[in-house]
Amino acid sequence: MLFGWWKMGMDLSMLAMESQGVVVQRLTMMAMGGPAAQAEAQLMVTEKILAAGEAAMMLATGASNGKVVSSYRRKVRANALRLSRR
């Protein structure tokens, strides 16, 4: 049982660090302005609403907290990869 809490803590810590990297990438893009920044801002809001709804549905259907965190981490990594290609 202790290992489960340790893994969850590590996954949440990694999610926090990975998310901060994406925030930096997005803020840098928005600081430069232009149509790409506007599109990214709209995409960001849309993604956040969809991700929150998906997480709520996952929890409502009995998914574990770990699966929800893994889902968020997968989305954050995809955003980091997409933003690093620009």
Side-chain angles (χ1 to χ4, degrees):
M1 178 146 174
L2 180 63
F3 179 73
W5 284 103
W6 177 261
K7 180 169 177 8
M8 176 61 78
M10 293 300 291
D11 285 343
L12 286 170
S13 296
M14 289 301 297
L15 175 60
M17 289 190 298
E18 292 163 349
S19 297
Q20 287 302 309
V22 171
V23 168
V24 167
Q25 288 173 310
R26 282 182 162 158
L27 287 176
T28 302
M29 175 182 282
M30 288 179 196
M32 292 187 312
Q38 178 67 31
E40 185 62 33
Q42 290 174 343
L43 179 62
M44 177 180 65
V45 172
T46 303
E47 284 178 342
K48 289 192 181 303
I49 292 169
L50 290 174
E54 183 181 329
M57 185 60 71
M58 288 174 71
L59 290 173
T61 58
S64 69
N65 293 339
K67 288 191 184 243
V68 174
V69 172
S70 294
S71 174
Y72 268 110
R73 285 190 68 199
R74 193 170 31 259
K75 289 172 179 38
V76 169
R77 282 192 303 268
N79 277 330
L81 182 62
R82 180 180 54 80
L83 290 167
S84 67
R85 290 182 181 156
R86 291 186 173 205

